[in-house]
């Protein structure tokens, strides 16, 4: 029994520290193909890619929902790194209706799919060419929560528990 408790505790600690597969979706495609480059490059249409950034606006069309995004580089899990320099703008076209009331400008969003078109549009009074990325389920990232007790990341949390002859503890690290 003495050997079982430490192994069980180790398994519990490792499970608690593992990230969920849903939290990390690795980007696909050529990470050098930015929205700015896609409008210039012949052959970009049809390529599969992951782009992300901050939501600028959204609108419902008769057969789809269109989201305008200011692109930023992505981390290894596809989350936009908004502290980096922007990479241009792109449109996400999602077939069908998407409720846009919850999609406030500034929210982080990531889309993976095929570049289906280059669309002519405007930013204010300026003409602009947007690559259009089709994605049936763009990922809207959760709003950042308050970091640890001091609001600083990374932070460490330690917990101890027990009951009915079992006791254990764990350490959590948040980045």
């Amino acid at each position: 029994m003495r050997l079982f408790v430490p192994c069980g505790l180790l398994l519990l600690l490792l499970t608690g520290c593992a990230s969920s597969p849903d939290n990390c979706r690795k980007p696909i495609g050529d990470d050098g193909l930015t929205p700015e480059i896609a409008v210039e490059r012949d052959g970009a249409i049809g390529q599969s890619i992951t782009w992300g950034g901050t939501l600028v606006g959204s609108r419902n069309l008769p057969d789809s929902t269109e989201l305008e995004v200011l692109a930023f580089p992505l981390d290894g899990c596809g989350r936009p790194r908004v502290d980096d320099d922007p990479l241009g703008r792109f449109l996400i076209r999602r077939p069908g209706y998407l409720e846009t009331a919850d999609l406030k400008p500034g929210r982080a969003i990531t889309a993976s799919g095929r570049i289906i078109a280059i669309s002519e549009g405007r930013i204010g009074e300026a003409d602009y060419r947007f690559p259009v990325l089709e994605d049936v389920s763009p990922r809207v990232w959760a709003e950042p929560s308050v970091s640890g007790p001091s609001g600083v990341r990374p932070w460490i949390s330690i917990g101890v528990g027990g009951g009915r002859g079992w006791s254990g503890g764990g350490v959590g690290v948040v980045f």
Side-chain angles (χ1 to χ4, degrees):
M1 184 70 174
R2 186 178 280 260
L3 182 61
F4 178 75
V5 172
C7 290
L9 179 61
L10 179 61
L11 182 60
L12 181 66
L13 286 172
L14 290 175
T15 304
C17 293
S19 62
S20 166
D22 289 340
N23 290 337
C24 186
R25 298 180 195 158
K26 301 227 180 276
I28 61 171
D30 176 6
D31 62 356
L33 180 61
T34 66
E36 288 177 330
I37 293 171
V39 296
E40 306 283 326
R41 184 183 289 178
D42 291 336
I45 294 175
Q47 289 192 31
S48 295
I49 194 81
T50 299
W51 284 333
T54 57
L55 188 64
V56 175
S58 59
R59 64 186 183 138
N60 292 107
L61 303 172
D63 297 328
S64 62
T65 301
E66 197 169 82
L67 308 172
E68 182 180 334
V69 180
L70 176 61
F72 287 95
L74 305 176
D75 68 13
C77 290
R79 186 177 189 109
R81 296 189 324 242
V82 297
D83 292 336
D84 287 354
D85 292 332
L87 304 172
R89 292 188 187 205
F90 68 99
L91 300 175
I92 300 171
R93 188 160 300 148
R94 181 193 179 274
Y97 176 81
L98 179 66
E99 180 55 64
T100 59
D102 297 331
L103 298 174
K104 307 257 186 289
R107 292 289 303 269
I109 189 166
T110 301
S112 293
R114 281 183 327 105
I115 301 170
I116 59 170
I118 303 297
S119 178
E120 303 293 331
R122 297 181 72 76
I123 299 175
E125 297 297 316
D127 292 332
Y128 197 84
R129 297 180 70 212
F130 297 88
V132 181
L133 184 62
E134 184 175 54
D135 185 354
V136 296
S137 60
R139 180 176 189 173
V140 179
W141 293 87
E143 303 249 14
S145 61
V146 174
S147 300
S150 64
V152 176
R153 286 188 176 210
W155 64 279
I156 298 173
S157 174
I158 300 173
V160 178
R164 296 193 181 219
W166 181 88
S167 63
V171 177
V173 179
V174 177
F175 291 95

